[in-house]
Amino acid sequence: MNDLSGKRILLGVSGGIAAYKLPHLVRLFKKSGAEVQVVMTKSAAMFVSPLALATLSGRAVLSEIFPNSASDQESWTNHIRLGEWADGFVLAPATANVVAKLANGFADDMLSVCFLTLRPNKPKLIFPSMDGEMFDAPAVQRNLNVLREQGCLVIEPEVGELASGLVGKGRLPEPEKIFALVCDALSPKEKTLAGKQVVVTAGATREKIDGVRFISNYSSGKMGFALAEAAAELGAETILITGKTSLPTPPNVKRIDVESAEEMFREATRYFETLDVFVAAAAVADYRPAETHQGKLKKSADALELRLVKNPDILLEFGKRKKSHQLSVGFALEIENALENARAKLAAKNCDIVALNRANEEGAGFESETNRLTLLFKDGSCEQLPLQTKREIAKEILKKASFFFRKTSLTSPER
Ligand SMILES: Cc1cc2nc3c(=O)[nH]c(=O)nc-3n(C[C@H](O)[C@H](O)[C@H](O)COP(=O)(O)O)c2cc1C
């Protein structure tokens, strides 16, 4: 669980449409124990209510440098006091305008002055969010680079539907993601997988029937992406080999997009020699059509028979070649005789850990944000994890992997 207890966050809000996400972000910060001071630009108030942010943060929202009256002595030095007070500065959304101002040292409102008075070495996270063309504009990119050079962490916006109605790069990440990144910056975790290479497979493969049809499954890729994100957070060099999905690439992860099981197999085998942890979270199709028709199959006969042939089993192949310093984590999706089948998989595929997923459980499964897993270990022990978000589960699994390298053997009492 991420904890921001006692952390003091200076939250800059500028006038982009994505500011509507901010009340939820403030709630997440407050719930995790942080103190939040919102400083917003005048334009931001066009997109999100200062009253809502003041109520949720429990503090008056500041915008102007000058106090309302000359007798309001308390607020004369707000701009300097807040720079000293804050443990970190978060700017979300960051408009092109505010990015330009901060990159050039402007100081004409409370937000820009606080940015300048923030104590050195305090984390500064900038979340630019704007229309795709605007984001790519050379001036915006130049200003973002200036902020990077000044030590700011600039988080790339996500690809998706934009307020303009277009689809492109420019979306502000969801509050949960911003929250997680702020937690990492303000309470950095131990990099227990630094120097290790982690390869994760994710999502569903597509097995072509013809030029327009394929066989696939309901896997969303969410579990695999969460695992890659957790591995990267723990400092691992992380490679994510994924089937088709529109999920954004987690920070510091090398992403390889593939379509079929054979392609996924080819890409994964490239790393079999060098990897330290292999996490097979993809839902790889067991079979593929024996032949792919060129163009589109015509509807003619009443029935169509498809002959399927077996796909390569990536986890099994890795299990055969695995060396003692390498760790193999598999996923088993079972309905009946779940434990028994998962144990058999662990042995047959020479895994160190198998994460058992029961397909028929509530709150678990492909599309769900949460999951309930049972972890089975090579030494015969198992551990039931509570219903958790896929992100929390991913962290739990990667933590086990870190223990493996610390102890080099998996024995239950140490876990
Ligand atoms: C409906 C609407 C949506 C806007 N959304 C954005 C946006 O997402 N990102 C951005 O950089 N500017 C956006 N703008 C332009 C900014 O509001 C404008 O540049 C403003 O001067 C920014 O002021 P500030 O940076 O002081 O908050 C939008 C403007 C309008 C009218």
Side-chain angles (χ1 to χ4, degrees):
M1 189 58 199
N2 284 316
D3 184 16
L4 288 175
S5 301
K7 296 287 180 200
R8 296 186 291 222
I9 300 171
L10 196 51
L11 179 58
V13 184
S14 56
I17 184 68
Y20 77 90
K21 295 182 179 178
L22 266 286
H24 185 38
L25 179 63
V26 172
R27 253 180 75 74
L28 292 175
F29 284 150
K30 289 293 287 180
K31 270 172 72 179
S32 76
E35 284 183 64
V36 183
Q37 174 63 60
V38 176
V39 279
M40 69 199 288
T41 63
K42 270 195 204 145
S43 316
M46 301 291 285
F47 298 95
V48 60
S49 144
L51 182 62
L53 295 176
T55 310
L56 291 167
S57 65
R59 284 167 173 263
V61 166
L62 302 174
S63 222
E64 304 282 353
I65 302 170
F66 303 105
N68 285 336
S69 77
S71 58
D72 185 6
Q73 292 192 12
E74 277 282 292
S75 57
W76 284 348
T77 51
N78 262 345
H79 56 292
I80 296 163
R81 192 177 48 74
L82 286 173
E84 277 170 10
W85 169 86
D87 291 314
F89 175 82
V90 180
L91 177 57
T95 56
N97 180 56
V98 153
V99 165
K101 283 173 60 174
L102 300 190
N104 289 287
F106 279 49
D108 60 356
D109 60 10
M110 190 54 105
L111 192 159
S112 51
V113 180
C114 283
F115 181 76
L116 290 179
T117 58
L118 193 76
R119 290 295 168 262
N121 305 323
K122 298 287 180 193
K124 295 186 275 279
L125 288 88
I126 313 286
F127 290 85
S129 163
M130 61 202 73
D131 196 67
E133 301 295 325
M134 206 169 168
F135 181 71
D136 288 335
V140 172
Q141 288 302 316
R142 188 190 56 224
N143 291 331
L144 288 171
N145 280 336
V146 170
L147 290 177
R148 284 189 187 99
E149 281 158 20
Q150 290 174 9
C152 294
L153 185 62
V154 176
I155 291 89
E156 291 275 300
E158 295 185 349
V159 177
E161 223 173 277
L162 302 170
S164 59
L166 299 172
V167 173
K169 192 172 190 178
R171 275 176 69 90
L172 184 72
E174 291 307 312
E176 284 76 9
K177 177 122 183 238
I178 300 178
F179 172 73
L181 288 164
V182 173
C183 287
D184 289 347
L186 265 62
S187 321
K189 291 181 191 64
E190 246 188 288
K191 301 286 183 201
T192 47
L193 288 177
K196 303 289 176 203
Q197 190 184 66
V198 175
V199 175
V200 180
T201 65
T205 62
R206 290 180 175 183
E207 312 301 325
K208 274 189 175 167
I209 298 170
D210 63 13
V212 293
R213 302 181 182 95
F214 54 82
I215 298 173
S216 192
N217 57 65
Y218 290 113
S219 172
S220 63
K222 285 178 185 164
M223 191 67 239
F225 274 62
L227 284 155
E229 186 168 351
E233 276 174 9
L234 293 176
E237 176 202 345
T238 308
I239 294 115
L240 173 64
I241 306 172
T242 176
K244 276 262 172 314
T245 165
S246 55
L247 293 173
T249 312
N252 303 320
V253 168
K254 177 179 172 189
R255 171 176 179 159
I256 301 171
D257 288 284
V258 297
E259 194 165 315
S260 65
E262 282 184 305
E263 266 181 78
M264 189 172 270
F265 178 70
R266 235 180 356 255
E267 290 299 333
T269 48
R270 281 187 217 280
Y271 297 96
F272 278 5
E273 286 291 314
T274 55
L275 66 79
D276 297 286
V277 184
F278 182 52
V279 188
V284 182
D286 292 334
Y287 294 92
R288 67 176 182 280
E291 63 226 40
T292 303
H293 293 261
Q294 298 300 316
K296 187 180 170 209
L297 266 176
K298 284 279 167 230
K299 182 164 64 176
S300 48
D302 286 345
L304 172 70
E305 277 184 25
L306 278 182
R307 198 170 74 82
L308 302 179
V309 292
K310 219 172 186 176
N311 267 329
D313 186 326
I314 308 172
L315 191 58
L316 179 72
E317 279 310 312
F318 178 65
K320 284 183 198 163
R321 302 189 208 176
K322 186 166 84 82
K323 310 215 174 60
S324 60
H325 70 275
Q326 294 177 307
L327 187 82
S328 166
V329 183
F331 277 74
L333 179 71
E334 303 290 346
I335 299 176
E336 281 151 13
N337 301 328
L339 261 181
E340 217 172 278
N341 290 341
R343 275 217 177 93
K345 183 167 187 173
L346 185 116
K349 303 200 177 180
N350 192 18
C351 291
D352 298 280
I353 304 173
V354 162
L356 166 63
N357 237 314
R358 290 178 179 84
N360 44 357
E361 267 199 40
E362 207 176 307
F366 282 145
E367 291 291 338
S368 170
E369 291 299 329
T370 55
N371 216 346
R372 191 196 312 272
L373 293 183
T374 306
L375 300 182
L376 289 86
F377 300 93
K378 206 175 185 164
D379 65 1
S381 62
C382 67
E383 187 177 325
Q384 170 76 57
L385 301 181
L387 185 72
Q388 283 172 308
T389 63
K390 289 184 174 171
R391 214 185 130 77
E392 285 163 340
I393 290 173
K395 284 186 180 166
E396 203 57 48
I397 292 174
L398 269 301
K399 216 156 78 187
K400 310 286 180 203
S402 306
F403 280 127
F404 172 85
F405 294 111
R406 228 166 45 206
K407 305 292 294 176
T408 55
S409 76
L410 287 166
T411 47
S412 30
E414 297 300 332
R415 286 196 301 267

